[in-house]
């Protein structure tokens, strides 16, 4: 039996994200408010902050998906 480190790292990233959101509920509210500022009619600063928040969420999701779907062949 071989330990699949990619799965362990993905789970730890997910747990870390949940722990941060649980420890800082204001962070979640601020993140959601920043995402609402992307649309038209908002100042440029709000749009940039919204895009940064969206990018951080996207990076986290892509990292978890890549870690879970990456196949490590053992040479067989």
């Amino acid at each position: 039996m071989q330990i699949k480190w990619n799965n362990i790292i993905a789970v730890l990233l997910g747990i870390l994200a949940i722990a941060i959101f649980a420890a800082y509920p204001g962070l979640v509210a601020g993140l959601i408010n920043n995402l609402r500022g992307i649309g038209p009619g908002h100042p440029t600063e709000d749009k940039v902050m919204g895009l940064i928040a969206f990018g951080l969420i996207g990076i986290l999701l892509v990292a978890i998906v890549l870690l879970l779907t990456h196949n490590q062949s053992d040479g067989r």
Side-chain angles (χ1 to χ4, degrees):
M1 187 168 132
Q2 193 174 17
I3 296 175
K4 298 194 177 199
W5 290 104
N6 289 342
N7 293 347
I8 293 172
I9 292 171
V11 169
L12 289 176
L13 277 175
I15 291 172
L16 180 66
I18 291 170
I20 289 173
F21 289 151
Y24 301 103
L27 178 68
V28 177
L31 194 64
I32 292 170
N33 285 334
N34 281 337
L35 289 176
R36 290 182 183 157
I38 294 175
H42 295 281
T44 305
E45 294 85 16
D46 289 347
K47 291 179 183 179
V48 171
M49 291 304 294
L51 290 174
I52 290 171
F54 183 72
L56 289 174
I57 292 170
I59 288 171
L60 179 66
L61 291 176
V62 168
I64 290 173
V65 168
L66 283 177
L67 287 171
L68 289 175
T69 60
H70 181 71
N71 293 328
Q72 289 184 345
S73 60
D74 55 352
R76 292 187 218 179

